[in-house]
Every structure is written in C-alpha cells, then in structure tokens.
C-alpha cells in the first residue's frame, strides 16, 4: 500500500452575497462578488459548512477559505424557450418539441469554492488561489489560453480501493486561464502548481450549437434560422493564473 500524496488546492476569497439558490443535488449555492468584481460561486454541501448548519442571506459579507471543486449540472433545452413569444415556435417543430418536453439538455460543469471555514470579515480580503495538478488538456480560443488540471486533494472522493490497499480517487477538474508565454511552456500530463485569482468569462451560446454538442444534428438541420439563433447566457469561472511552477520528471 502506497502512502497517499495530496495535491495543493487552497482558496481564500471574500465578497458580498447577491444570489442564493438550491439544486436537486441537495447543495446550496451562492454567488459573491469579490474585490475585482468577479462573480465567484460558493457551494455548501447539503447547505452546511463542515457538517454544521449556517445562517446566511443576500447582502451578507463573507470570507471563505476552502478548496475548488467542479459540480456537474444540466442546462435543459427548455431554457432557450423561456423568453416571451418563443414557445409558439415549438408547435411547428414536433421533433424539437418532443426533445424539449423530455427534459433533455447538455451537461456542463460549474467550478465553485467549497468552504472549510466561513466567517463574517471586518474588511474584504484579497482573493488567493493556489492549485497543483496534472495537465489533462490545453486549448485556446482567440486570445484566451486555457489548461485543465486534474487535482487529487484530500477532498476528492474515493472510487475504488484495490486489493493491496491502494486508493484511487476521482479528481477535481480545474480550468485555468494562463498568459500566452506561460501556455507555451506547459506540456500534456505535466505537473504544475499555479497561483493567482479568478477570471470570469460570460458568453452567449446559441441553440444550434447546444444541439450539436448533444449530437442532435438531425434536429438542428430542420429548425428555422430564427429558432436556431435562440440563446442563453453562460457565466464560467476560471483560475486566473499569475505565476506557475512547472515540475520536471
């Protein structure tokens, strides 16, 4: 049996709560705005911090110290038809209507901070993010350069225990935005430690693209242009990297 070695995964962030909601997974989620006006999602497993109930409301200032985790959620196709007047188009598109009514959607992942401590601060603190992991993927779009790290910290869930006692965990999948020159130095499967703050990307995704992601080209090819251009706004949180240590084998 090998002794487990855990990756670094530490976050410190403070801000004012402006939204609180729940999902079917039993967790409570909050959005705060930090000192840089970035909207950071805070996840409370089963509405608790370290197994303890907390009392919070919109407008509260909080200081969170914890770790990053990715949470799966589904953007249902019905969201594209919530605006006034859009539902009428479904009556003329039976195949799409069946798909929407079935509750189908695309699975996405939301990066959030899970608190290990949550307090009421006297003043806001500077956001600090430190994460270590293995590079699983790297890509870029326009002038934005991204890497996805697989992070095995002590909070990652155990999925198997082998006969020899070795433990295998399901890693956190953390996405970071890095400067171009730093991006060039990163290799697939390389181990890196990154430090920085948060970066937020807000974009508009059209229905036609979502259907292609879901592999429903046969449906997308039959819908009129006015419908295929229906869209939703998506906000994604990343680690905004300011410094990096790249390990050698």
């Amino acid at each position: 049996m090998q002794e487990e070695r855990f990756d670094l995964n530490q976050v410190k962030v403070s801000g004012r709560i402006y939204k609180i909601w729940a999902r079917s997974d039993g967790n409570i989620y909050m959005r705060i705005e930090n000192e840089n006006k970035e909207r950071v999602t805070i996840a409370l497993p089963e509405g608790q911090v370290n197994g303890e109930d907390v009392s919070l409301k919109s407008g509260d200032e909080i200081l969170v110290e914890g770790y990053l985790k990715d949470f799966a959620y589904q953007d249902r196709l019905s969201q594209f038809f919530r605006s006034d007047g859009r539902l009428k188009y479904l009556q003329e598109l039976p195949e799409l209507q069946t798909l929407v009514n079935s509750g189908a959607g695309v699975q996405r992942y939301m990066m959030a901070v899970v608190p290990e401590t949550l307090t009421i601060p006297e003043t806001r603190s500077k956001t600090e993010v430190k994460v270590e992991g293995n590079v699983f993927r790297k890509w870029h779009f326009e002038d934005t350069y991204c890497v996805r790290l697989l992070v095995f910290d002590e909070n990652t869930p155990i999925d198997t225990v082998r006969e020899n006692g070795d433990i295998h965990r399901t890693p956190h999948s953390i996405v970071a935005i890095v400067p171009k020159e730093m991006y060039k130095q990163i290799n697939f499967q390389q181990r890196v430690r990154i430090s920085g703050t948060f970066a937020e990307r807000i974009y508009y995704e059209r229905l036609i693209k979502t259907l292609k992601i879901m592999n429903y080209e046969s449906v997308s090819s039959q819908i009129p242009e006015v419908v295929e251009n229906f869209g939703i706004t998506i906000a994604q949180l990343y680690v905004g990297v300011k410094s990096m240590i790249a390990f050698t084998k």
Side-chain angles (χ1 to χ4, degrees):
M1 176 179 176
Q2 294 184 349
E3 183 178 354
E4 284 195 275
R5 179 193 180 281
F6 293 121
D7 292 337
L8 178 68
N9 186 357
Q10 296 177 350
V11 179
K12 180 180 181 181
V13 62
S14 63
R16 183 183 299 275
I17 301 171
Y18 70 89
K19 183 179 180 181
I20 302 177
W21 74 99
R23 279 210 168 103
S24 57
D25 58 9
N27 298 334
I28 301 294
Y29 297 91
M30 306 180 296
R31 282 230 172 87
I32 66 171
E33 191 174 80
N34 71 356
E35 78 281 3
N36 297 322
K37 305 296 183 184
E38 294 145 348
R39 296 179 295 179
V40 180
T41 302
I42 311 295
L44 305 183
E46 298 184 3
Q48 299 178 323
V49 177
N50 280 333
E52 298 289 333
D53 291 332
V54 292
S55 296
L56 296 166
K57 64 183 186 303
S58 180
D60 285 349
E61 288 275 351
I62 60 172
L63 169 63
V64 169
E65 294 186 67
Y67 59 93
L68 284 174
K69 177 179 171 60
D70 57 316
F71 292 86
Y73 71 98
Q74 191 177 49
D75 262 340
R76 298 183 185 278
L77 292 176
S78 56
Q79 293 196 64
F80 288 88
F81 295 88
R82 286 183 175 177
S83 299
D84 291 344
R86 290 189 175 183
L87 282 175
K88 65 181 181 181
Y89 291 97
L90 283 178
Q91 299 172 5
E92 302 172 3
L93 302 165
E95 191 173 355
L96 180 58
Q97 186 175 40
T98 299
L99 194 59
V100 171
N101 291 343
S102 72
V106 61
Q107 182 169 280
R108 305 189 196 275
Y109 291 89
M110 172 180 62
M111 189 171 71
V113 181
V114 178
E116 294 178 305
T117 64
L118 190 155
T119 56
I120 308 301
E122 293 183 3
T123 59
R124 286 194 182 186
S125 298
K126 183 180 178 182
T127 299
E128 298 176 5
V129 183
K130 296 180 180 179
V131 178
E132 183 178 309
N134 295 319
V135 177
F136 177 72
R137 184 186 170 207
K138 55 182 291 190
W139 72 98
H140 67 92
F141 49 92
E142 298 177 349
D143 294 327
T144 302
Y145 297 84
C146 300
V147 295
R148 183 182 298 278
L149 303 184
L150 299 185
V151 179
F152 292 88
D153 63 35
E154 62 269 31
N155 299 296
T156 49
I158 296 173
D159 56 27
T160 55
V161 179
R162 298 188 176 97
E163 290 184 0
N164 63 358
D166 287 348
I167 294 172
H168 185 270
R169 295 174 179 267
T170 301
H172 300 314
S173 178
I174 307 301
V175 180
I177 293 177
V178 300
K180 183 178 181 179
E181 290 306 312
M182 200 176 291
Y183 178 85
K184 293 178 180 178
Q185 301 170 19
I186 298 174
N187 298 313
F188 176 64
Q189 294 187 334
Q190 186 172 27
R191 187 172 189 79
V192 298
R193 177 176 292 188
I194 56 176
S195 301
T197 180
F198 285 116
E200 186 182 33
R201 178 184 175 226
I202 300 175
Y203 64 97
Y204 186 81
E205 185 170 292
R206 296 191 305 153
L207 175 62
I208 189 72
K209 181 175 181 180
T210 303
L211 289 171
K212 287 181 179 179
I213 293 172
M214 296 172 64
N215 294 318
Y216 282 109
E217 284 86 353
S218 61
V219 177
S220 62
S221 63
Q222 298 175 27
I223 60 178
E225 184 177 356
V226 64
V227 176
E228 70 179 35
N229 285 320
F230 288 172
I232 57 174
T233 300
I234 300 171
Q236 286 188 322
L237 188 68
Y238 303 85
V239 178
V241 178
K242 294 185 177 180
S243 61
M244 179 189 73
I245 296 173
F247 295 87
T248 53
K249 294 183 178 180

